Amino acid sequence: MEAVILATVLGVLIAVVFVALLRVRRHPPPLDEQTAEQLAERAPTLEVPELDEAQPVGAPEVVDAAASLEAPALSPAERFRLRLGRARSSLGGAVASIFRGGIDDDVWDELEDSLIAADVGVEATLELVAGLRERVRVENVRSGPEVLELLKEVLRLELGVADRGLARREDGTTVWLVTGVNGTGKTTSIGKVAARERAAGHTVVLAAADTFRAAAADQLALWGERADARVVRQEEGADPAAVAFDGWSAASAAGADLLMVDTAGRLQNKRALMDELGKVKRVLDREAGHVDEVLLVLDATTGQNGLTQARAFAEAVDVTGVVLTKLDGTAKGGIVIAIQRQLGLPVKLVGLGEDIEDLASFDPDAFIDALFTSASQDVEIEQAGATEER
């Protein structure tokens, strides 16, 4: 009996000691200050990188694809091809269908109809097709692709001029007078040209000589602000020639590279307006020595009506070149050929969209290639298919 009691007491003591040891391990007594410092010196140091507060922990890094991969700049030919979708699908598609079959009288009639519909003009079309037929006969051309290549060559010759560049002075301020009917994009084109000149490092002054149209000067002022060009203006209804005079005085005094003068563009059949335009030109010729360019802005979507406008303006001032706007929005690209053939005026600039950079120097080769790219491919595919069937 005493042995049992003794064994029980020993077991209780052992259990108490075991529990006490566990409590000490889980809750060790606090270290004295010296011991704590020694342990801290031995402990390894871990460097923890700082986190960006704007990016949560564990979030993947976001890479701006637009910033790292910039789209390559379009060449003039690529820009023409991209922007001339409507004209290409209309004229190019019609030509493709014409040359899919054999070469007979019906083909030539259909080609004439297509060119006339594209605003090349009746007289110009008849002469172009007659010349093309003669070359086909003399060179014994038989296939659609060959005829199409000859057509493109003929059109390139029609658009061939010695110089489509914009005249500039080697010394002093260059003067460009810009005219055209309201609604053609005249003031907008001036703003886009100003932006292009500023991007090239030239200083530009704009003269708001369209004092007849309400808010015309305000519109030009907005474009001047966008293009970082100075704008010279007077109150609405002021003498346009006086504004042109002030513009030249400001530009020449500042040593500006370029002065562009915006002019009134009410309907060209108003004689008083055309007389006023002639007066502006005379004042600039007198003060500046001469006007380097007289640019007529035409809307490509107006077709043959644009030629009537051009003739009226050419009578009032000596027009030196055409700015053809909205070329990307018309199915009648033949107006380019009609302007040069009937008026003897080269198209120098073309509007290809709404953006500020969508005003380009006119490139005849890129224009013709853009019009007929789809047509050439379609005709070649049709010819290849016909050959395989045979």
Side-chain angles (χ1 to χ4, degrees):
M1 185 65 181
E2 292 178 358
V4 173
I5 293 172
L6 181 60
T8 302
V9 173
L10 288 174
V12 171
L13 289 174
I14 293 172
V16 170
V17 172
F18 181 73
V19 171
L21 290 174
L22 286 177
R23 291 185 64 184
V24 170
R25 293 192 64 183
R26 291 182 180 176
H27 304 284
L31 299 175
D32 59 84
E33 184 176 349
Q34 182 177 1
T35 305
E37 291 179 356
Q38 292 175 351
L39 291 175
E41 291 176 357
R42 297 178 192 172
T45 302
L46 297 178
E47 295 183 359
V48 180
E50 295 183 0
L51 295 178
D52 186 358
E53 295 180 358
Q55 182 174 348
V57 177
E61 182 180 359
V62 179
V63 179
D64 186 355
S68 59
L69 296 175
E70 295 184 359
L74 294 177
S75 67
E78 291 170 334
R79 181 172 289 273
F80 270 107
R81 191 172 296 113
L82 177 65
R83 298 294 191 178
L84 295 183
R86 293 187 63 182
R88 182 170 64 246
S89 61
S90 176
L91 180 57
V95 171
S97 63
I98 291 171
F99 291 123
R100 281 173 181 159
I103 308 300
D104 54 23
D105 290 341
D106 291 338
V107 165
W108 300 116
D109 291 340
E110 292 177 18
L111 180 59
E112 288 177 354
D113 292 341
S114 296
L115 293 176
I116 292 172
D119 269 338
V120 174
V122 176
E123 182 180 349
T125 293
L126 295 177
E127 293 179 2
L128 287 172
V129 174
L132 180 61
R133 291 186 70 169
E134 179 63 17
R135 288 197 59 179
V136 168
R137 185 189 66 81
V138 171
E139 299 178 25
N140 196 28
V141 174
R142 299 293 183 183
S143 69
E146 290 177 311
V147 176
L148 182 56
E149 287 304 312
L150 278 181
L151 173 60
K152 291 164 65 175
E153 183 180 335
V154 168
L155 294 179
R156 285 192 179 94
L157 291 174
E158 284 293 318
L159 295 176
V161 294
D163 184 16
R164 290 184 185 273
L166 295 167
R168 300 175 187 273
R169 302 186 189 188
E170 294 184 2
D171 297 313
T173 301
T174 296
V175 181
W176 294 345
L177 181 66
V178 186
T179 188
V181 175
N182 288 341
T184 58
K186 173 172 55 69
T187 304
T188 298
S189 296
I190 292 174
K192 291 180 178 181
V193 172
R196 192 170 77 160
E197 293 294 317
R198 290 292 295 127
H202 302 148
T203 53
V204 180
V205 174
L206 307 178
D210 182 358
T211 60
F212 292 100
R213 180 167 62 93
D218 293 336
Q219 182 186 3
L220 189 65
L222 288 175
W223 276 106
E225 183 177 348
R226 292 182 64 185
D228 189 26
R230 180 183 174 184
V231 176
V232 176
R233 58 184 295 183
Q234 292 187 15
E235 69 278 2
E236 185 176 328
D239 181 3
V243 179
F245 176 87
D246 288 347
W248 165 254
S249 299
S252 58
D257 296 309
L258 175 64
L259 168 67
M260 282 193 291
V261 182
D262 188 13
T263 59
R266 290 182 297 179
L267 292 178
Q268 73 280 1
N269 56 8
K270 295 194 175 181
R271 189 69 258 170
L273 178 66
M274 305 308 285
D275 291 341
E276 192 64 52
L277 178 60
K279 179 182 177 183
V280 171
K281 171 78 163 43
R282 290 193 297 273
V283 167
L284 289 172
D285 281 337
R286 183 189 68 215
E287 299 299 324
H290 65 279
V291 174
D292 300 278
E293 287 279 0
V294 179
L295 299 173
L296 174 63
V297 181
L298 294 178
D299 182 346
T301 63
T302 61
Q304 293 293 314
N305 289 334
L307 298 178
T308 303
Q309 298 172 11
R311 290 190 182 95
F313 280 101
E315 291 176 2
V317 289
D318 185 18
V319 176
T320 58
V322 171
V323 179
L324 192 61
T325 64
K326 308 175 189 178
L327 189 59
D328 60 312
T330 179
K332 299 183 176 183
I335 188 63
V336 175
I337 300 166
I339 289 171
Q340 186 161 317
R341 186 180 181 87
Q342 297 185 35
L343 302 177
L345 295 175
V347 175
K348 296 194 172 186
L349 298 170
V350 289
L352 298 172
E354 297 296 329
D355 294 336
I356 195 169
E357 69 273 10
D358 286 333
L359 188 75
S361 299
F362 181 68
D363 184 338
D365 291 332
F367 175 71
I368 296 298
D369 287 340
L371 282 183
F372 293 104
T373 294
S374 296
S376 300
Q377 294 171 349
D378 291 344
V379 171
E380 289 173 359
I381 291 171
E382 290 287 337
Q383 292 288 332
T387 301
E388 291 177 359
E389 290 178 359
R390 290 196 294 269

